[in-house]
Amino acid sequence: MWKGLLSFGLVNVPVTMVKATRSKAISFNQLRKSDFSRIQYKKVASDGAEVPASEIIKGYEVSPDRYVIITDSDLEAISPKASRIIEISDFVKLEEIDTRFYDNSYYLVPDQGASKAYSLLLKAMTDANVVGIAKFVLRNKEYLAAIRPTDNVISLSTMLFPDEIVSTKELENDLPANVELSDKELKMAKTLIDSLITKFDPTKYENEYQKQVIKMIEAKAGNEEIIKTTDTTPRYLDLMAALEASIASTKAASKANEKKKSPRKSKKTA
């Protein structure tokens, strides 16, 4: 996803960023019930007319039905400059970071020749129990990030900026107030909590719903409950298969043309 330098002080560590998570969400296509053809989405204006991509521009609504037009040039002029450096500006204690700030997770793995510098930073952060805070640019967007040791790997978590966090003060009117709790109620609740306290083991928790959906799909497929769509739009799921099919088709057409062009031999008379 990204290659560059992880920098702290005068030390630069060449690293490569890779995803630390993978999506396991199951997606479904929408079909028309009558003939199972795929549903397509088109961009249309308020009058219902379809709008081609060449006629679509960006607009920011400043008040109802009033927009400021934003061009690609406007955005390019102020976009952050691409950089190949993640520079740690501060180190903070892990427990000081509110978990609401964490967004997506990645691993930073050392590039060739960076093993010692990488190991040095990893060990030093682990011993000090600190997290590095940095800013970096990925795909023309600036990110705030937390760099920390995770299972003998340096991980990077993109973070939300403070103005992206919803303050709990905004929920004051929706939260209970002046609720009286008896000592007996509190004691019973604490006893129940104490009985459930254990070490966190993520392998204990599975997405049971997703497992049931996969099981149901497999059962339907096994019973041949499969319909054939009437969608005629060509969709090549396998690039090699598509290329091989094209080559075979071209060869067949070439042979047919050669047969047409070649002169027919006259029959010998007895």
Side-chain angles (χ1 to χ4, degrees):
M1 291 187 59
W2 183 93
K3 289 174 72 75
L5 300 174
L6 177 59
S7 171
F8 65 107
L10 299 178
V11 180
N12 292 320
V13 186
V15 293
T16 296
M17 180 189 295
V18 297
K19 283 188 175 182
T21 60
R22 60 170 60 96
S23 175
K24 302 288 283 187
I26 298 174
S27 59
F28 297 96
N29 291 317
Q30 291 188 329
L31 310 175
R32 185 165 57 188
K33 188 176 181 179
S34 61
D35 60 359
F36 308 118
S37 59
R38 285 280 298 272
I39 302 300
Q40 297 182 353
Y41 294 92
K42 298 180 179 180
K43 295 182 179 181
V44 298
S46 56
D47 59 4
E50 185 176 353
V51 183
S54 60
E55 293 185 20
I56 297 176
I57 58 176
K58 296 180 179 71
Y60 183 86
E61 189 173 23
V62 292
S63 62
D65 298 325
R66 296 180 67 242
Y67 297 86
V68 171
I69 301 304
I70 306 297
T71 66
D72 291 339
S73 315
D74 294 329
L75 295 175
E76 288 172 7
I78 60 173
S79 64
K81 293 181 180 179
S83 173
R84 288 298 174 188
I85 299 179
I86 300 175
E87 186 170 0
I88 297 175
S89 57
D90 302 290
F91 285 102
V92 301
K93 291 292 184 180
L94 176 62
E95 59 269 19
E96 292 179 356
I97 301 178
D98 189 325
T99 55
R100 290 177 297 175
F101 281 90
Y102 292 123
D103 196 9
N104 295 315
S105 297
Y106 305 88
Y107 293 130
L108 297 177
V109 296
D111 281 346
Q112 189 173 3
S115 297
K116 188 167 185 178
Y118 184 92
S119 300
L120 173 66
L121 177 58
L122 179 62
K123 183 70 165 63
M125 285 197 299
T126 302
D127 291 348
N129 189 32
V130 294
V131 177
I133 304 299
K135 282 185 179 181
F136 75 105
V137 176
L138 178 64
R139 301 192 186 103
N140 296 322
K141 182 179 177 181
E142 186 177 56
Y143 289 89
L144 182 66
I147 291 93
R148 53 180 174 162
T150 306
D151 293 337
N152 208 32
V153 177
I154 295 177
S155 67
L156 180 150
S157 295
T158 54
M159 302 175 70
L160 301 173
F161 286 95
D163 59 356
E164 296 178 287
I165 303 295
V166 177
S167 171
T168 55
K169 290 183 179 180
E170 297 181 38
L171 308 175
E172 286 181 347
N173 295 331
D174 301 314
L175 300 177
N178 303 320
V179 177
E180 294 184 4
L181 301 172
S182 68
D183 292 339
K184 184 177 180 180
E185 289 169 330
L186 281 173
K187 186 177 179 180
M188 290 179 66
K190 289 178 181 179
T191 300
L192 175 59
I193 290 172
D194 288 340
S195 69
L196 296 174
I197 290 177
T198 184
K199 288 186 177 180
F200 177 61
D201 179 9
T203 60
K204 287 172 55 178
Y205 313 101
E206 296 184 6
N207 190 334
E208 298 296 337
Y209 174 70
Q210 185 184 63
K211 287 170 63 177
Q212 291 299 319
V213 172
I214 293 174
K215 187 176 179 180
M216 177 265 293
I217 292 172
E218 290 175 344
K220 281 180 169 287
N223 292 330
E224 297 185 353
E225 294 183 38
I226 302 174
I227 54 88
K228 185 176 180 180
T229 179
T230 58
D231 187 3
T232 57
T233 304
R235 290 181 293 124
Y236 294 110
L237 301 182
D238 188 329
L239 178 59
M240 288 304 297
L243 290 172
E244 289 172 358
S246 298
I247 292 170
S249 176
T250 302
K251 286 182 177 179
S254 178
K255 287 182 178 179
N257 289 332
E258 286 178 4
K259 285 183 179 180
K260 289 180 180 180
K261 291 179 181 179
S262 61
R264 294 181 179 180
K265 293 181 179 180
S266 58
K267 293 182 180 181
K268 292 182 179 180
T269 56

